[in-house]
Amino acid sequence: MIQKLKNKVLTRENDKNILIDYFFKKNDQQKPIVIFCHGYKGFKDWGAWDLVAETFANADCFFVKFNFSHNGGTLEQPIDFPDLEAFGENNYTKELNDLQFVIDSLVGDSFEYSAEANTQKISLIGHSRGGGIVTIKAEEEHTILKVISWAGVSDYASRFPKGDALKDWKKSGVYYVINGRTKQEMPHFYQFFEDFEANATRLDIARAAKNIQIPHLIIHGTTDPAVPSEEAKQLHQWNPKSTLHLIENADHVFGARHPWKQTQLPNDLQEVVQTTIDFIKK
């Protein structure tokens, strides 16, 4: 029987709390930990992510997924984006700090499910923007055993406005992106760019990928409209020891959507999950 412990709260004294889920078979046997990081305009309960978590748990993994603290959700409403102010205050450094806090919570002496989780075997998965986050974290955090990118980005700098658009952003202090699904105008405050510039070396995905010393799996769809598969090939080129797995005609979310009403994973996402499980288990 799979334990599905959803919406647990990791409390922090001087920062926003983190909402987190744990999926595992309760059998007092320590299982490899898999931590999943969602992407831009993402959240832990998006689409088929619960089914993904169940599949990993059935494969004897201790699966963890969480909302980044400034992703726009709240503890009371973790799905979608009721807190746009927090969304606007998000940046890559905050997401790296969130992930580190999650890792530290798992390996700490007070973790209440330690009998079920093998802290010597921690793998990171990141989807889309989260792929960059886990690549950077895997290079700098030596407790990580393996790292996996799903439709992951290869560069953050190129995604910021340029030229006059950047000047306008600095002048106004905010620019907005329309969420195609919710129709919300989602703000990005100028601090996002300032934080990136202040931490440009740390946030260089190429630098991190070139320095990764652990097994590295890169999975991407060949018809991804959001993050071209060329970015996966670039990551693989930076780390020739990595494993590149391209899925023909797969999109950015591997056939899933939100909400996901079906009881089975879409075929492409099933391939992603099984390829990742095999990679983690070998």
Side-chain angles (χ1 to χ4, degrees):
M1 177 67 75
I2 300 299
Q3 296 283 306
K4 304 174 189 178
L5 305 177
K6 290 179 62 71
N7 298 324
K8 309 288 280 187
V9 179
L10 299 182
T11 57
R12 296 194 282 186
E13 288 185 12
N14 300 311
D15 210 337
K16 287 172 70 69
N17 295 337
I18 292 174
L19 208 58
I20 193 165
D21 298 344
Y22 309 109
F23 283 61
F24 60 94
K25 290 180 185 174
K26 186 173 175 56
N27 55 14
D28 290 328
Q29 295 179 8
Q30 291 187 324
K31 296 162 276 289
I33 296 171
V34 181
I35 304 173
F36 174 79
C37 297
H38 66 73
Y40 177 58
K41 293 187 287 188
F43 45 95
K44 67 179 179 61
D45 300 302
W46 184 90
W49 294 152
D50 270 6
L51 271 181
V52 167
E54 290 177 28
T55 307
F56 274 90
N58 275 313
D60 295 312
C61 294
F62 188 98
F63 193 87
V64 179
K65 57 188 176 76
F66 66 99
N67 279 351
F68 284 114
S69 63
H70 288 72
N71 78 322
T74 63
L75 299 184
E76 298 76 24
Q77 188 178 334
I79 295 176
D80 288 335
F81 313 101
D83 190 351
L84 290 178
E85 184 77 12
F87 184 91
E89 293 171 351
N90 198 16
N91 58 51
Y92 299 125
T93 300
K94 283 189 171 85
E95 294 191 350
L96 285 166
N97 291 343
D98 289 348
L99 177 53
Q100 188 64 55
F101 192 83
V102 168
I103 294 168
D104 291 344
S105 76
L106 293 166
V107 303
D109 293 337
S110 61
F111 183 55
E112 59 184 309
Y113 309 112
S114 58
E116 308 289 345
N118 186 343
T119 57
Q120 303 303 308
K121 294 183 177 180
I122 302 177
S123 297
L124 302 180
I125 301 173
H127 176 250
S128 192
R129 167 165 149 174
I133 294 296
V134 299
T135 301
I136 295 166
K137 183 54 66 178
E139 188 270 334
E140 66 184 21
E141 174 52 64
H142 299 298
T143 61
I144 305 307
L145 192 68
K146 297 183 179 182
V147 60
I148 303 98
S149 171
W150 291 357
V153 300
S154 65
D155 175 59
Y156 286 142
S158 64
R159 289 172 161 80
F160 285 107
K162 305 288 190 298
D164 289 343
L166 181 60
K167 292 177 183 176
D168 290 343
W169 186 19
K170 183 176 182 179
K171 183 177 180 180
S172 67
V174 61
Y175 84 87
Y176 294 90
V177 173
I178 299 296
N179 186 315
R181 183 175 58 81
T182 67
K183 310 306 179 188
Q184 291 167 290
E185 291 190 352
M186 307 189 75
H188 294 281
F189 301 140
Y190 190 66
Q191 64 80 27
F192 186 20
F193 182 70
E194 292 177 314
D195 179 80
F196 176 79
E197 283 212 306
N199 299 280
T201 300
R202 184 189 187 196
L203 297 174
D204 184 349
I205 298 171
R207 177 203 59 78
K210 290 173 184 176
N211 288 316
I212 285 177
Q213 301 297 316
I214 60 175
H216 181 193
L217 173 63
I218 302 159
I219 304 180
H220 219 104
T222 62
T223 55
D224 186 332
V227 180
S229 59
E230 283 70 27
E231 299 204 37
K233 295 172 185 175
Q234 185 68 77
L235 286 167
H236 181 51
Q237 185 176 343
W238 289 329
N239 182 9
K241 293 181 180 179
S242 64
T243 300
L244 177 62
H245 185 92
L246 297 177
I247 300 180
E248 287 297 322
N249 301 316
D251 62 17
H252 187 58
V253 287
F254 304 104
R257 66 186 69 86
H258 184 81
W260 185 253
K261 302 290 189 181
Q262 301 180 42
T263 58
Q264 301 292 325
L265 292 172
N267 290 336
D268 288 340
L269 187 52
Q270 178 61 48
E271 181 176 341
V272 170
V273 169
Q274 192 57 55
T275 301
T276 303
I277 289 171
D278 293 344
F279 177 78
I280 289 170
K281 287 300 190 75
K282 71 181 179 183

